Structure formats: structure tokens, C-alpha cells
Amino acid sequence: MEIRDNDRVCIFAPLGEKLDRRESARLMTEIAHETRQVGIDLKYVYDCTIDFIETLKESAQNKQIAIFNIPSDIFALFNVMKLDKVVNLYVSESDFENQSRRLINRHFELV
């Protein structure tokens, strides 16, 4: 896991291609100790399990977490599971640092 930080934010970048139970537990324990704003960079991740999503939901109740550089398959899964209501989703690292252009799925319906 790569950790990049500055005065305002701390960014965690898992280096494995899959986020399973072990990797997500390790990631969330690191996030729990962080006092600054937290971002997760999914640039290297191509697959995630339900364990990652559940631990992310639990951690997001206590801390504001943002995710960026999300692959399209994982982004579709996040939208189906309505994870955008729990964590902040961004396209890039600069969007996260500037708190601009947040990705939101509005779930519009035709009436």
C-alpha cells in the first residue's frame, strides 16, 4: 500500500489488483488512525469483493472518506450498491483535493 500525504489530506493507494477481506481490513485500520481528510486511490485496483464494500460502509459512518480513479467496472458496482450516498466519489486526485466535480448518481425515473 502506498501512502501519500500533505498538510490537509492523506491518500491511500492499494497496490494489489484485488481488494479482498485481508486488504480491506488492513486499509481500514490505517484509515481509522488518520485524523486528516482521507482519500482512496483505486488506480491499480481492478476487482473488489463485498468485504471491501461492507468495511468501507462501516468506516464511512465514523469518518469522511473519498474515493477517486475508480475503474469503470467498480464504479458501476458502486452505483448499483448506492455507495455514492455513503462516500464521496471523484474522478481524479486533483478533484478530490479541490473538493470539486463530485460524482453523484441521481437515480432519475420517468414518471
Side-chain angles (χ1 to χ4, degrees):
M1 178 179 344
E2 178 184 359
I3 301 173
R4 301 185 306 264
D5 59 349
N6 59 27
D7 296 336
R8 298 183 307 118
V9 298
C10 184
I11 298 170
F12 296 91
L15 298 176
E17 292 183 357
K18 184 175 184 178
L19 284 173
D20 55 0
R21 178 179 298 193
R22 184 177 142 297
E23 287 294 323
S24 60
R26 184 175 160 219
L27 178 65
M28 294 309 159
T29 55
E30 291 289 331
I31 288 174
H33 298 297
E34 188 58 48
T35 57
R36 294 170 287 184
Q37 188 177 7
V38 174
I40 301 174
D41 185 358
L42 296 182
K43 180 177 13 180
Y44 302 112
V45 177
Y46 294 103
D47 188 22
C48 67
T49 62
I50 191 70
D51 298 318
F52 171 69
I53 294 171
E54 292 301 322
T55 55
L56 185 64
K57 284 182 180 180
E58 291 172 12
S59 296
Q61 292 176 355
N62 302 327
K63 184 177 290 291
Q64 185 177 4
I65 299 174
I67 301 176
F68 55 91
N69 289 335
I70 309 166
S72 60
D73 295 342
I74 297 175
F75 181 67
L77 181 66
F78 285 176
N79 281 334
V80 168
M81 298 196 72
K82 298 180 181 172
L83 204 63
D84 60 325
K85 308 301 184 217
V86 179
V87 298
N88 296 329
L89 304 177
Y90 295 98
V91 174
S92 66
E93 186 174 344
S94 63
D95 290 344
F96 162 66
E97 290 176 351
N98 297 328
Q99 299 293 313
S100 64
R101 298 190 287 194
R102 183 174 167 208
L103 298 173
I104 299 174
N105 189 357
R106 302 271 187 207
H107 298 288
F108 290 120
E109 292 183 15
L110 186 61
V111 181

